[in-house]
Amino acid sequence: MITLALAYLRDRPLTTALNVLLLAISVAMLVLLLQLGNQASERLQRDADGVDLVVGSKGSPLQLILSSVFHVDEPTGNIPLSSLELLRTDPAVERAVPLALGDNFRGFRIVGSDASFYDLYGLELAQGARFDGEMQAVLGAEVARATGAQLGQQFVGSHGFGLDEDGAHAHDNAPYETVGILAPSGTVADRLILVSYQSVWEVHGITHDHDHDQVEEGPDHKHRSDGGNQEIEHDHSVNEHEHGIMDFLFGHDHEGHDHGEEGHQHDGHDHEGHDNDHNHSHEDHDHDNEHQGHDHDGHAEDAAPILQAASRELEPELTALLVTYRNASGAVRIPAMINRQTEMQAAVPANETARLLELVGASLDGMRVFAWLLAATGGLAIFVALLNMARSREGDLALLRVMGASKEQVFATVILEGVITAALGAVAGWIGAHGLIALARANFATLSDLGLSAFAPVAGEGLLVLAVLGIGALAALIPALRVYRIDPAQVLARSGS
């Protein structure tokens, strides 16, 4: 019966090809929607697992989540380094993971962080060791596979987040050394290059004090409870970097020199507690100020914006913080505190991801309905083709009955024609859909960044193929019943007359 059904299909190649094509298009659409919907949803949930809050610069909350958690968008800006200490010393925070972004290597993002990033995603090493100093890099599993990098090899990052960044340039002056390769984790870390955030500062020429890079709770951080509110006292020391800027702006040493306090006068008298050289330099300075028509205080006020701008440009900053709560009170208090009392914003990944999936899901549902209508149209085309076949081949089928074929065998032949046509369409559509995913992943960076796989197994695909086969069998049912009920004697007699 299968051989006979295939012979009938070959007998009308154009009609068979059009029916297969119609079903293949509908199956391809359904498989694409199923794959993209399931993989994107699972990937987003897996990458956001363990991240209760993201703190970053003011802007779009969704953009902040996409750039900091899923690494598929550009950051909203930078935040001060002090924000890391602010959150890590909060009793409701279990973990605050710093991120410093801005560069890539062959399209893979370079992420500056610290050891807490490994704990957040439960990362394990396949080779080498973790970074423990500046300009050391640990590659994700996908990065190592795609680039072929090995331990000990050096590479240079490029400014921006992709291969097609306009004006992107390589940081040739600061190469990274590969010290470790991560084992596959199934998370966004597989597609990242991990370095210390101090390394990101170093690459971009931002000077930083190593003594102040450690923002963990230490002896200089004292806590005390007063009315249920926690206060943090800091032991401030002289910032040598700021003194260097002041020396550059004013041309003299400010150490031990406090403007506006006792021991510094602006009326032309000698300054008590200073040597003759120091007094002489300040007298000249006061004389110049009087000659220009303003006092020293005015000069300081004019220079203050320049000093502040220089400090901001050289200030080490972070891109975002990934926060995990220790208890439920953090979810109520911390976002409100960040959004209302700071220049930063707090975004909840669960909320933004649900909103994103809801927006995308509405479009996917509409496309899914259209695909099923297309599949139904393919089934209708099979029905029409088989019905016409049953009418035109009544004589052949009656002759088969006379030669010994049973009603059931003739009935099965027609049903097999519908099922084989549907099966060819389903297979062609399935292959086409997965081929399109592979092609899109290779040409669209966003799909690659999301980690979509061209041949990831999805349980719903099997049900989809069975549904299409059912459509083919259902379309062939009425023509098969017509063939089943024919009287061979009457048909042959009518044909003979």
Side-chain angles (χ1 to χ4, degrees), residues 72 162 164 440-450:
V72 294
D164 57 350
R441 189 179 186 276
N443 290 276
F444 295 97
T446 300
L447 296 180
S448 179
D449 291 340
L450 282 175

Side-chain angles (χ1 to χ4, degrees), residues 464-484:
L464 177 60
V465 172
L466 290 177
V468 174
L469 294 179
I471 290 176
L474 184 62
L477 181 61
I478 294 179
L481 288 174
R482 179 185 176 87
V483 171
Y484 182 82

Side-chain angles (χ1 to χ4, degrees), residues 280-319:
H280 178 72
S281 64
H282 281 282
E283 287 172 359
D284 292 341
H285 185 66
D286 290 341
H287 177 73
D288 292 340
N289 288 342
E290 291 174 359
H291 179 71
Q292 295 174 4
H294 58 79
D295 58 11
H296 184 79
D297 291 338
H299 178 76
E301 291 176 359
D302 292 340
I306 302 176
L307 177 60
Q308 293 174 359
S311 298
R312 283 195 300 270
E313 292 176 0
L314 299 177
E315 175 109 9
E317 293 179 319
L318 298 173
T319 304

Side-chain angles (χ1 to χ4, degrees), residues 4-19:
L4 184 59
L6 291 174
Y8 280 142
L9 291 174
R10 288 195 299 268
D11 188 55
R12 52 180 198 281
L14 181 60
T15 300
T16 301
L18 290 176
N19 292 337

Side-chain angles (χ1 to χ4, degrees), residues 242-318:
E242 291 184 359
H243 278 299
I245 298 175
M246 295 177 70
D247 292 342
F248 174 77
L249 291 174
F250 297 116
H252 58 79
D253 186 12
H254 285 257
E255 184 176 358
H257 185 76
D258 190 6
H259 294 282
E261 299 292 338
E262 293 183 359
H264 184 83
Q265 302 175 0
H266 301 278
D267 55 3
H269 297 287
D270 291 339
H271 299 274
E272 297 178 2
H274 297 277
D275 56 21
N276 292 332
D277 293 338
H278 200 161
N279 291 336
H280 178 72
S281 64
H282 281 282
E283 287 172 359
D284 292 341
H285 185 66
D286 290 341
H287 177 73
D288 292 340
N289 288 342
E290 291 174 359
H291 179 71
Q292 295 174 4
H294 58 79
D295 58 11
H296 184 79
D297 291 338
H299 178 76
E301 291 176 359
D302 292 340
I306 302 176
L307 177 60
Q308 293 174 359
S311 298
R312 283 195 300 270
E313 292 176 0
L314 299 177
E315 175 109 9
E317 293 179 319
L318 298 173

